[in-house]
Amino acid sequence: MTVRRDFEEPARCRPDLVIGREELLAGAREQLAGGGSVLLHGPAGIGKSTVLRALAADNAGAPRTVLRCSATESESHLPFLALADLLGLVVDEVSDRLPAAQRTALESALTGRGESTLQRDGLALRLAVLSVLRALAAERPVLVVADDLQWLDPASAELLGFAARRLGDTPVQLLCAARTEGQEYDRHLRALPPDSLAVRLNPLSRTQVSALLDHRGYTGLPRSTVRDIHRTSAGNPLFALELGRALAEDPTPPRPGEPLHVPTSLRALVLNRLDMLSDEARRTLLVASAGARPTLALLHAAGRDNAESETAQAAALGLLATEPEGPAVRFAHPLISAALYAEAPAQERRTAHAALSTAASDPIERARHLALATSGTDPEVAATLAEAAAQARDRGAPSMAASLGLLAARHTPADSVPGPDERRLQAAEDAITAGEVDLARDIAREALTRATVPADRVRAWMVVIESAGQALGDVDAAFPQALADAGDDPRLLALVHYQLAWRGLVVQGDFAQGREEAAHAAQLAARAGDRRTELLALAFQAQTETLMGHPDAPATIKRALKEPQDPQVACHHNGPGLARFRWLLMSDQLTEARTTVTALLREVRRRGMVESEVHFLRLLAETELRSGHCGRALDLARESLRMARDTGIGRVASALLTSFAEASGGDVDRALALAREALEHAEEDGDQMYVSRALAALGHAQLVAGDAPGTVRSLRRVRELEQGLGITDPARGRWHGDLAEALVRTGELAEAQDVIDVTREQALRLGRESVLAVVDRAQALVRARRGEHEAALGQLTSVQDRLGKLGYGLEEARAAFALASLRTRRPGPTSYDEAARLFRRCRALPWLRQAEAAAMTTPPEPVAAPAPTLDALDGLASMERQVAALVMEGATNREIAARLFISVKTVEATLTRVYRKLGIRSRVDIVRLAAGRRTK
């Protein structure tokens, strides 16, 4: 694809606006800092010049000589032009140090006087360039910055390459950029020193394209539009910015189902070879650009009889990608397809769609083409599109259903039943399901400007409220208007009161109010026979009761799970399935919770429910984190966060959960940053519930980072907030052990004891065994600080065993770590081996580093009596040997029981006999025995 010079890189680029290249920049900076050279390469418009300028700016303040050149295609035939750009201003400083023959040849080349050529003065010129660079480097380091290396005139490229290969340890570095397709960059490396780093710039992700558009002032674009920009530009920054600019300047957005408007500037960029096609070939390409998945068979069915030869002609011109195998017809770049479609007259586009409306095999695709081939209203076309939208919805393609629904509304006559507004609102609800909340909100607000039917108006208000997400305070004015429109209709009132329940929880921070509103909504919905709203309201009521520690929670969950169920509500992220999952998780039933949320995630993915997918990914990550599978949890949390940022859904919740996962299994600094980000957004939204959760994440990250005073400040606020919210179930946030531990570290034992006592009372009332174990771990730390070492050690040993049996792997490891830490404070043997092993099994890297650091600072341990050797195992019974062997492998009691098909109690009894026969005290000693170590 040929690109004009003035469109090669995004306009107004500044180094501080480099988007999505952090890792790439870090690697290039490291290479330059070490004295190496760098070649940036990639396709046109990918941002090479932007990154080049950013790297050059990094070195602008250093004491060095910077030589620059930037070539153009139109000047590449002029010999020595790039050399003149590089050396023209500095050659006089060192020319008197050159031998006469080199000086004469170089002056002739740079000034154009005389007839210097590489053939005639080759050796003298080559040596002259090398001598100049060495002379300049003798005074200060030299950085050569060369953009568009592919347009360097051949003479300059040859001279630069000759010198670069012979610089050796001379402090001369090259920073170059070259346009390449694929990975073909080797020929450009010949102009750089050996061992130069080649860095390919890849396309930007959708999130990065969104950030780039925001930086350039193209804000306010709907997320669905940003998605289309990313798809059409294929992540190319130049193309994305030009598309964003055109959309921002065009008051008429594309109609549903149509490609983006492509500005004239980009059309000229990518279609400069279109005039070389025959008229028939061009029509064939237009049909291909109008199709969703064009194939040769589809083109034939659409009446393009010579599709093979015409597509081959386009492929030879670089407009189509060659596909040696397979029937697909693929454009070389998505922008070519969009530009070709935009360039065609409206009548030709309708003709292409009309042909495809009969040729396409998929009924949904046929309906879309029928709509785009039809102008004006047509009830039959509208009905066909509405039916296709329903099919798309059933297939789990809500985004397609929304697009088809909008097309149906456009072709629906005003006096039809259902009317155009009803179809638009269905499209808005499909957009909500697909995670396209901006599109949904815009449709609903437009409907409110003309809808008069109460049901349509309330339905529109519900979309406006739902599209606000956690920022319900921003749409406070919608609630009284929705109530007024609902009148005394119990079905409509149920919808409004269900949203008022969320407002009570999120905006008011009042769990009791939220519960009352949800119960009222469920009663209204039951009276109206609206099972869908009744189920959502019951699920909300069940969740609030669970978090409040309300005794009615189990009964409400049963009511929410009772048949008949609505299939979509059953797997919705606010449905009965979630209420059951939350109860299982808080009741320490981790295996059942994992099974439940995994099934929910699988179903919402099948249905294309993007918003629910974001939430269930996060909840599965939370389950894995509780289970001590930190690596798995971190992967899931990061995936959830990427989706949340991409769609704008659940960003605060995903950020704070990812903070927990990073603190447990990743990067603590990243955990702190994410927690602060979540806190900032929650405070902006006025969401008290998520403010407390974000503070809990921040406090946990501060504890892992060793900032006990910071942990105390953050978690004290959580305690105050949750008391105000009416949350009495400590299994909800599980921050209580962290606060008590931090208070012990800061010497505030009385407050730590108070936290422990209050939490223990709540946990005993609700039967939260894992919470009890965690606060007992904190209690042991308090006892140790009071000098009750033996009692503390005994309690920690018990806690570790209880947490292991419950399946809380990370908490078990933290108990082992605390146990080892206490043993260092008293005479006798100690070891961090067990804690390190458990942290390693969990992949809890931040905690593992702490354990390893603590082991390094522990004084040498006294040599104990000789430990039993491996021969001692011969005296064990068969079952005892098998159990001991599995312990040596690091298996837990539960894992041993599963592998040997015996009960956990049998494993425990067997281990007791093993300890007695070997003269040891714990499973740690068995592990040491396997390693040939001495008993500590």
Side-chain angles (χ1 to χ4, degrees), residues 72 257 356 382 393 538 673 725 876 933:
T72 63
L356 289 167
R393 199 175 303 120
L538 285 171
L725 289 167
L876 300 177
R933 299 181 58 182

Side-chain angles (χ1 to χ4, degrees), residues 198-267:
V199 178
R200 179 171 178 79
L201 276 69
N202 292 313
L204 299 181
S205 67
R206 190 193 306 180
T207 303
Q208 291 163 350
V209 165
S210 178
L212 178 65
L213 292 167
D214 287 345
H215 271 300
R216 298 305 173 88
Y218 306 134
T219 56
L221 294 173
R223 292 183 184 277
S224 56
T225 301
V226 174
R227 178 198 62 199
D228 291 341
I229 289 174
H230 177 259
R231 183 180 63 242
T232 304
S233 68
N236 185 294
L238 163 66
F239 299 159
L241 286 171
E242 285 295 300
L243 290 167
R245 179 185 59 76
L247 284 165
E249 294 173 356
D250 191 341
T252 307
R255 295 189 302 176
E258 289 186 349
L260 293 175
H261 294 329
V262 178
T264 305
S265 57
L266 285 183
R267 294 186 204 178

Side-chain angles (χ1 to χ4, degrees), residues 582-705:
R582 183 61 67 188
W583 175 263
L584 290 169
L585 191 66
M586 294 176 68
S587 302
D588 298 325
Q589 300 178 61
L590 297 182
T591 301
E592 294 84 349
R594 181 187 294 106
T595 301
T596 299
V597 74
T598 300
L600 289 168
L601 179 59
R602 186 185 306 115
E603 181 63 13
V604 299
R605 281 175 166 166
R606 187 184 71 81
R607 292 176 174 271
M609 299 168 66
V610 174
E611 183 175 9
S612 294
E613 182 180 354
V614 172
H615 289 291
F616 288 137
L617 269 173
R618 185 184 73 251
L619 294 172
L620 180 56
E622 182 180 353
T623 308
E624 298 293 0
L625 196 58
R626 297 272 179 90
S627 304
H629 305 151
C630 299
R632 170 73 171 149
L634 185 57
D635 291 341
L636 289 164
R638 286 173 174 172
E639 184 181 354
S640 172
L641 183 59
R642 281 194 298 271
M643 285 191 69
R645 287 176 169 169
D646 195 28
T647 61
I649 295 168
R651 286 175 294 183
V652 172
S654 292
L656 67 89
L657 193 279
T658 308
S659 172
F660 276 115
E662 291 282 0
S664 299
D667 184 289
V668 180
D669 289 337
R670 176 75 173 146
L672 291 165
L674 284 169
R676 292 185 176 112
E677 174 190 325
L679 178 59
E680 180 182 353
H681 287 302
E683 289 176 335
E684 287 176 0
D685 293 342
D687 187 338
Q688 295 303 302
M689 183 172 65
Y690 273 108
V691 166
S692 76
R693 296 187 66 183
L695 281 166
L698 178 59
H700 180 73
Q702 288 168 324
L703 182 72
V704 180

Side-chain angles (χ1 to χ4, degrees), residues 874-926:
D874 296 337
L876 300 177
S878 174
M879 176 62 72
E880 292 167 350
R881 282 200 304 274
Q882 291 181 65
V883 170
L886 289 173
V887 169
M888 292 175 183
E889 294 176 11
T892 65
N893 288 1
R894 184 170 298 185
E895 290 167 344
I896 295 170
R899 290 174 65 174
L900 297 180
F901 302 100
I902 58 179
S903 69
V904 174
K905 287 187 176 179
T906 301
V907 174
E908 293 169 349
T910 304
L911 277 175
T912 301
R913 293 195 301 273
V914 169
Y915 299 159
R916 186 174 63 251
K917 289 183 178 181
L918 296 181
I920 58 178
R921 294 177 296 177
S922 71
R923 60 190 299 126
V924 179
D925 295 326
I926 298 180

Side-chain angles (χ1 to χ4, degrees), residues 50 57 178 222 288 330 370 378 437 541 548 610 666 793 843 851 885:
T50 302
R330 187 168 63 85
L370 178 62
D378 186 320
V437 291
Q541 181 183 345
M548 294 168 67
V610 174
L793 289 170
R843 226 186 85 181

Side-chain angles (χ1 to χ4, degrees), residues 75-84 109 116 153-156:
E75 297 170 340
S76 60
H77 66 286
L78 299 174
F80 306 121
L81 184 60
L83 187 67
S116 180
D153 61 276
S156 296

Side-chain angles (χ1 to χ4, degrees), residues 105-458:
L106 186 58
E107 287 175 354
S108 296
L110 295 180
T111 63
R113 293 192 295 270
E115 302 215 0
S116 180
T117 65
L118 275 179
Q119 289 76 19
R120 179 174 158 185
D121 301 314
L123 182 59
L125 270 174
R126 288 175 172 83
L127 293 175
V129 173
L130 180 60
S131 298
V132 168
L133 291 175
R134 284 174 172 167
L136 291 170
E139 297 177 1
R140 60 176 63 186
V142 175
L143 177 65
V144 177
V145 181
D147 200 0
D148 285 310
L149 210 59
Q150 75 278 359
W151 301 135
L152 248 63
D153 61 276
S156 296
E158 167 60 25
L159 292 171
L160 189 61
F162 176 87
R165 290 189 294 273
R166 289 161 177 81
L167 286 168
D169 295 332
T170 306
V172 177
Q173 296 171 267
L174 275 72
L175 172 59
C176 303
R179 182 187 303 172
T180 58
E181 297 296 336
Q183 294 292 331
E184 299 173 3
Y185 58 88
D186 290 351
R187 63 187 180 90
H188 297 299
L189 278 174
R190 291 198 292 269
L192 280 76
D195 301 324
S196 294
L197 175 67
V199 178
R200 179 171 178 79
L201 276 69
N202 292 313
L204 299 181
S205 67
R206 190 193 306 180
T207 303
Q208 291 163 350
V209 165
S210 178
L212 178 65
L213 292 167
D214 287 345
H215 271 300
R216 298 305 173 88
Y218 306 134
T219 56
L221 294 173
R223 292 183 184 277
S224 56
T225 301
V226 174
R227 178 198 62 199
D228 291 341
I229 289 174
H230 177 259
R231 183 180 63 242
T232 304
S233 68
N236 185 294
L238 163 66
F239 299 159
L241 286 171
E242 285 295 300
L243 290 167
R245 179 185 59 76
L247 284 165
E249 294 173 356
D250 191 341
T252 307
R255 295 189 302 176
E258 289 186 349
L260 293 175
H261 294 329
V262 178
T264 305
S265 57
L266 285 183
R267 294 186 204 178
L269 249 62
V270 299
L271 298 180
N272 59 343
R273 285 155 291 178
L274 202 62
D275 292 339
M276 302 172 68
L277 285 174
S278 66
D279 290 343
E280 289 302 312
R282 184 166 180 159
R283 291 189 186 98
T284 295
L285 284 195
L286 176 61
V287 175
S289 71
R293 294 172 296 278
T295 63
L296 289 173
L298 179 66
L299 294 176
H300 278 296
R304 307 312 302 168
D305 296 336
N306 298 315
E308 285 88 351
S309 62
E310 289 161 355
T311 55
Q313 182 185 354
L317 292 172
L319 294 166
L320 293 179
T322 55
E323 296 283 355
E325 297 180 3
V329 175
R330 187 168 63 85
F331 285 88
H333 192 283
L335 189 61
I336 296 175
S337 174
L340 179 66
Y341 187 92
E343 187 82 1
Q347 184 55 49
E348 287 189 17
R349 288 188 298 216
R350 282 196 291 271
T351 300
H353 285 296
L356 289 167
S357 69
T358 58
S361 59
D362 183 77
I364 293 176
E365 191 64 16
R366 287 200 302 272
R368 185 180 76 88
H369 288 301
L370 178 62
L372 295 173
T374 305
S375 58
T377 59
D378 186 320
E380 291 186 8
V381 171
T384 300
L385 286 162
E387 183 180 348
Q391 289 178 318
R393 199 175 303 120
D394 291 341
R395 288 185 188 179
S399 181
M400 174 60 76
S403 177
L404 291 166
L406 289 174
L407 285 169
R410 182 158 62 87
H411 290 290
T412 301
D415 57 351
S416 293
V417 178
D421 281 338
E422 188 173 345
R423 282 178 168 155
R424 285 190 188 92
L425 289 169
Q426 178 61 64
E429 290 165 357
D430 287 329
I432 286 278
T433 301
E436 299 176 8
V437 291
D438 294 340
L439 175 62
R441 182 192 60 241
D442 292 345
I443 295 171
R445 289 196 180 281
E446 182 186 355
L448 284 167
T449 62
R450 57 175 179 269
T452 57
V453 178
D456 287 348
R457 291 189 61 79
V458 171

